[in-house]
Amino acid sequence: MATAAVLAATLALFLRAAAATAATAAAEADRIGRLPGQPPVNFSMYSGYVTVDAAAGRALFYWFIEAAGVPAESAPLVLWLNGGPGCSSVGYGASEELGAFRINADGRTLYLNPYPWNKVANMLFLDSPAGVGYSYSNSTSDLYTAGDNKTAHDSYNFLVNWLERFPQYKHRDFYITGESYAGHYVPQLSQLVYRNNKGIEKPILNFKGFMVRTQIFMNLYLLLMFCLLISVEMIGWKCGN
Ligand SMILES: *[C@@H]1O[C@H](CO)[C@@H](O)[C@H](O)[C@H]1NC(C)=O
Ligand SMILES: *[C@@H]1O[C@H](CO)[C@@H](O)[C@H](O)[C@H]1NC(C)=O
Ligand SMILES: *[C@@H]1O[C@H](CO)[C@@H](O)[C@H](O)[C@H]1NC(C)=O
């Protein structure tokens, strides 16, 4: 009996160690050594593909920038989504807005962004949905059946699978943020995470909240511009919707 218990415990330990090593190896394969023209930094970055639908061959691309200035081991995990639909979070959010770097005018080198969000959080930038940025699908039909609901489910699958690669972020305080059309993506993904977490005592996606920027004001502004630019009859048609 005792021997069997010890054997079982040893096996469990071994399996856990093997799982941890495998996860780390998958993450290590995604580690970014140094980007072209990048200044030296003291935080880690990773990027790569996470399959969200194996049958369709659909995979989403991410760029993960760990926290600096605050300990990455305790700082929250924050997902950032650009909108569009069709805007790359890697191309816009990460490279022009809140990422660690900005691109110099020479188009070849980078400088440190003075206001990067990774000063307070571990920042996960996701190209979403498939077809945007580096994210892709091997099924052409996917590009014609995109929509907010599918985008939310793909992003959810991405997060769950990504956490298998980065298990140290399971149960970490988690926030979903974004701007523009992500004013649709963010609440819909938040709702999905919230619903799937219901009744689970310690969910791996430890969802704490979401934040969006500009969607309503953008819409009002665009609608106003549109209404100013078209005829009175057209206003009745468009603004009546
Ligand atoms: C898509 O197809 C390519 C070429 O066959 C393959 O290498 C890749 O793994 C596929 N992607 C996914 C997500 O299955
Ligand atoms: C990393 O660099 C940032 C910005 O230069 C600095 O605030 C932070 O203290 C550094 N962290 C460590 C662990 O050296
Ligand atoms: C949303 O998408 C999921 C996954 O693709 C699907 O199972 C579900 O039926 C969809 N829901 C609606 C309301 O379309």
Side-chain angles (χ1 to χ4, degrees), residues 13-38:
L13 268 180
F14 173 77
L15 286 176
R16 208 177 309 159
T21 312
T24 307
E28 275 311 315
D30 283 358
R31 183 184 284 279
I32 297 174
R34 194 163 172 180
L35 294 166
Q38 180 208 303

Side-chain angles (χ1 to χ4, degrees), residues 164-181:
E164 289 307 312
R165 207 172 291 181
F166 294 87
Q168 68 271 37
Y169 286 97
K170 286 181 181 178
H171 313 294
R172 188 74 60 91
D173 285 1
F174 172 60
Y175 296 85
I176 303 177
T177 62
E179 67 183 348
S180 187
Y181 192 83

Side-chain angles (χ1 to χ4, degrees), residues 19-31 46-52 59-62 64 158-170:
T21 312
T24 307
E28 275 311 315
D30 283 358
R31 183 184 284 279
Y46 304 84
S47 77
Y49 284 101
V50 173
T51 299
V52 295
L60 299 186
F61 183 81
Y62 77 90
F64 182 50
F158 165 85
L159 288 168
V160 169
N161 294 339
W162 184 87
L163 283 173
E164 289 307 312
R165 207 172 291 181
F166 294 87
Q168 68 271 37
Y169 286 97
K170 286 181 181 178

Side-chain angles (χ1 to χ4, degrees), residues 214-233:
T214 70
Q215 178 57 23
I216 287 175
F217 296 107
M218 276 283 286
N219 275 356
L220 288 179
Y221 176 74
L222 289 175
L223 193 62
L224 187 68
M225 290 302 288
F226 188 70
C227 290
L228 286 174
L229 287 172
I230 58 171
S231 70
V232 174
E233 292 93 323

Side-chain angles (χ1 to χ4, degrees), residues 51 54 57-59 136 138:
T51 299
R58 201 157 71 244
Y136 71 90
N138 283 339

Side-chain angles (χ1 to χ4, degrees), residues 48-104:
Y49 284 101
V50 173
T51 299
V52 295
D53 185 329
R58 201 157 71 244
L60 299 186
F61 183 81
Y62 77 90
W63 181 7
F64 182 50
I65 305 177
E66 283 195 327
V70 290
E73 308 81 58
S74 55
L77 176 65
V78 174
L79 177 73
W80 173 266
L81 297 168
N82 271 94
C87 288
S88 160
S89 302
V90 168
Y92 289 91
S95 305
E96 295 188 18
E97 296 171 341
L98 46 130
F101 309 106
R102 295 291 184 82
I103 302 165
N104 279 312

